[in-house]
Amino acid sequence: MTLTATLGVRRDGFLLDAALRVDDGEVVALLGPNGAGKTTALAALAGLVPISRGRVVLDDVLLEDAERGVRVPAEQRNVGVVFQDGRLFPHLSVVENVAFGLRARRVSRREALERSYAWLERVGVGEAAARRPAELSGGQAQRVALVRALVSRPRLLLLDEPLAAVDAPARAGLRREIARELREAAGTRLLVTHDPVDAMALADRLVILEGGRVVQDGSPADVRRHPRSRFAADLIGVNLFRGRAVRGVVELEGGGRLVAAEAPDGDVFSLVHPRAVALHRTPPEGTPRNAWRSRAEAVEVTGDRARVEIAGPVPLVAEVTPAAVDELRLAEGGEVWATVKATEVVVYEA
């Protein structure tokens, strides 16, 4: 049982051209910058937006085929959707919102309400069962929207930023609850998120979408080890460069060069972890393989680490301790020297 889809959608001058596959029981996170086409992809799978090219097949059932003119209406697809804005029915109570899908599937009123109450209790909003959506906080409304989609056990569950409106204190607990439910429920699951913590915690596989096209598809571990786009690198917090390597020297597309201890010849990606970047106020001693006269542009301190943006021949982000920020007076900006050991440069084929 799988979802296989080839989505060709043209909307307001934007073209989505992406192939997706989600196996039974698998959770896939669709990530990408704003405007990449993530929400358009979810809307097409749900049947809310027609595709102009391609097909959608769920559990060997053809839901849409643009070339053959086949299109199953959204309400007839065994698909549940959690929208970022919840989209609860304002005239129904919370428990009636959750029970709506069950009632539409001819579940008795008593059973639908019992199952809905149980789900509301599971996610901590049981006390709000009799309220109307307008009386809920943003986080409560999103939890209700999530429960409404899960309670009917759809074969395909689509989640658009399911934790975006959840209160920070409740976010970690609800994330664990969602992860458990997604693992236990049958079917296929596809979620859109901008949060790397959500993606890594909830998904078995990550699909990176940029400009309407899939640029990377792999497990969270694969993406962490070998990001293949600027967005993916920013997602996991590393420096990524593209260039051409010859005998261990990588000439970067944006100018500058990196020396690596090991590198295949040809078009490559070069990854440098911010922790591998050392900063100095004076020229470093010795002859480091990678050293650049640069400038400290910005400092962001979070807990016991600080990230420093470095402008220079090779723009970098360095990660140091707050003590190093004070010792080197990095918050003042100004000239710094950045060095990276050749053994800390990870190079892989583009």
Side-chain angles (χ1 to χ4, degrees):
M1 300 294 186
T2 59
L3 165 73
T4 56
T6 304
L7 304 175
V9 181
R10 189 178 296 276
R11 299 179 72 187
D12 302 324
F14 174 78
L15 176 62
L16 172 68
D17 185 11
L20 299 172
R21 178 186 175 92
V22 187
D23 290 327
D24 187 40
E26 187 179 32
V27 181
V28 172
L30 188 60
L31 302 103
N34 290 334
K38 306 181 298 297
T39 298
T40 298
L42 259 66
L45 293 172
L48 302 175
V49 173
I51 62 175
S52 55
R53 185 187 62 79
R55 65 202 309 258
V56 179
V57 179
L58 176 62
D59 294 350
D60 296 325
V61 176
L62 181 65
L63 298 182
E64 193 162 0
D65 188 317
E67 285 71 21
R68 293 168 55 187
V70 176
R71 186 165 190 267
V72 176
E75 64 273 15
Q76 295 179 21
R77 302 186 183 195
N78 192 6
V79 177
V81 185
V82 181
F83 296 99
Q84 186 173 351
D85 57 3
R87 301 193 189 181
L88 300 177
F89 303 122
H91 62 291
L92 299 180
S93 69
V94 164
V95 71
E96 288 169 338
N97 262 278
V98 177
F100 184 88
L102 295 174
R103 296 288 289 142
R105 288 170 171 75
R106 301 185 183 280
V107 176
S108 71
R109 176 177 173 80
R110 179 177 178 178
E111 181 183 350
L113 291 176
E114 287 178 351
R115 288 168 61 178
S116 298
Y117 275 119
W119 273 91
L120 290 170
E121 289 289 344
R122 291 177 72 144
V123 298
V125 289
E127 79 287 350
R131 298 179 196 170
R132 294 293 175 89
E135 301 174 76
L136 303 178
S137 69
Q140 287 176 320
Q142 192 67 358
R143 286 195 285 270
V144 173
L146 174 66
V147 165
R148 184 177 62 179
L150 286 172
V151 71
S152 297
R153 302 292 187 184
R155 290 299 303 156
L156 172 62
L157 179 64
L158 305 172
L159 305 100
D160 190 0
E161 298 283 2
L163 294 169
V166 176
D167 308 347
R171 191 179 182 95
L174 185 55
R175 185 188 295 117
R176 289 192 295 271
E177 180 66 33
I178 293 173
R180 186 181 72 189
E181 298 300 337
L182 293 181
R183 295 294 181 268
E184 292 179 356
T188 53
R189 308 291 184 249
L190 182 68
L191 70 107
V192 163
T193 180
H194 289 87
D195 190 320
V197 176
D198 292 347
M200 300 297 176
L202 298 175
D204 304 304
R205 185 159 52 86
L206 308 181
V207 176
I208 310 295
L209 195 66
E210 296 191 33
R213 296 177 179 273
V214 174
V215 297
Q216 186 164 7
D217 184 339
S219 70
D222 290 337
V223 174
R224 281 195 297 265
R225 283 194 301 265
H226 294 144
R228 306 189 69 82
S229 72
R230 174 63 60 192
F231 175 84
D234 291 344
L235 188 75
I236 60 177
V238 298
N239 298 288
L240 184 68
F241 307 93
R242 187 153 184 174
R244 186 165 185 81
V246 178
R247 293 191 295 275
V249 178
V250 184
E251 298 291 342
L252 306 181
E253 286 186 347
R257 63 172 55 183
L258 282 168
V259 178
E262 297 182 8
D265 286 351
D267 292 332
V268 296
F269 288 105
S270 300
L271 182 151
V272 177
H273 197 284
R275 289 194 298 267
V277 182
L279 300 179
H280 319 263
R281 276 297 187 184
T282 57
E285 298 180 358
T287 56
R289 305 291 297 280
N290 296 294
W292 306 278
R293 189 175 187 173
S294 305
R295 184 176 185 84
E297 293 286 322
V299 177
E300 179 182 353
V301 179
T302 304
D304 62 350
R305 307 300 296 176
R307 291 174 71 88
V308 185
E309 293 184 16
I310 305 298
V314 177
L316 293 161
V317 173
E319 188 174 296
V320 299
T321 64
V325 172
D326 294 337
E327 181 182 344
L328 297 173
R329 304 185 309 281
L330 295 174
E332 300 174 10
E335 182 178 292
V336 294
W337 283 81
T339 62
V340 176
K341 294 179 180 178
T343 54
E344 297 286 355
V345 180
V346 179
V347 181
Y348 46 96
E349 292 181 356

